[in-house]
Amino acid sequence: MPWHCDIDPVQQIVELTYTGDITKRELRESASECIALEENKGLIRFLVDTTEMLSVSSLMDVYDLPVNQYVEENADRLGRVALIPPKSSRVKEAVRFYETVCQNRGWMVQVFEERHAAVEWLTYRTVSDQGEADNDH
């Protein structure tokens, strides 16, 4: 399978890694698995590593994720997605396109050149995050 998910239990981050050629079905399956982790485990921070992605099925398939699938599967709009771009310039354009479409639709998605910066952004606690943590006590 050209994608897999791992969970960092300490930082509460889901890491989705893509390698090779990614089909429409694989994009949809990986998104569904991440949305299920949101619903079942309350995980809303995602690190998507596309450094080894060689191709993606089409820009329309990329567009469909935030525009249709996320809405249909009730993805949490409080979630954050940090992307590490691929080496391939063609696929890098698709990742940037995804970032733009997501942001235009109100999803918190950002591309980072360095993994450290992506993790820092994902784990940054906002005032509202702190308020939720305070209410848990």
Side-chain angles (χ1 to χ4, degrees):
M1 183 166 44
W3 64 271
H4 69 276
C5 281
D6 293 313
I7 299 172
D8 179 335
V10 174
Q11 296 189 36
Q12 295 291 296
I13 293 174
V14 176
E15 184 168 351
L16 173 60
T17 304
Y18 290 108
T19 56
D21 301 316
I22 307 300
T23 66
K24 175 182 182 174
R25 189 178 107 235
E26 292 158 346
L27 279 175
R28 292 188 61 80
E29 287 174 352
S30 61
S32 290
E33 183 165 321
C34 288
I35 293 167
L37 287 170
E38 281 181 344
E39 291 176 7
N40 300 328
K41 298 192 181 278
L43 299 169
I44 61 169
R45 292 179 169 93
F46 300 88
L47 177 63
V48 181
D49 184 344
T50 66
T51 54
E52 299 301 321
M53 183 187 280
L54 299 177
S55 71
V56 65
S57 51
S58 76
L59 287 180
M60 283 309 298
D61 295 339
V62 171
Y63 177 85
D64 184 61
L65 294 173
V67 172
N68 295 312
Q69 185 175 357
Y70 295 174
V71 175
E72 291 166 3
E73 294 186 24
N74 297 313
D76 190 335
R77 286 203 181 261
L78 295 177
R80 291 184 192 176
V81 178
L83 294 125
I84 303 171
K87 296 171 187 170
S88 162
S89 61
R90 180 172 177 255
V91 182
K92 192 177 281 192
E93 290 175 22
V95 168
R96 291 286 184 186
F97 175 73
Y98 170 79
E99 174 190 43
T100 300
V101 172
C102 285
Q103 290 174 353
N104 288 344
R105 298 289 180 172
W107 303 102
M108 289 187 283
V109 174
Q110 190 153 342
V111 174
F112 295 87
E113 294 297 324
E114 296 178 9
R115 180 184 182 86
H116 174 76
V119 170
E120 189 173 286
W121 180 74
L122 286 172
T123 57
Y124 176 77
R125 295 184 61 85
T126 65
V127 173
S128 65
D129 290 340
Q130 188 60 45
E132 290 172 14
D134 290 345
N135 290 335
D136 291 341
H137 291 97

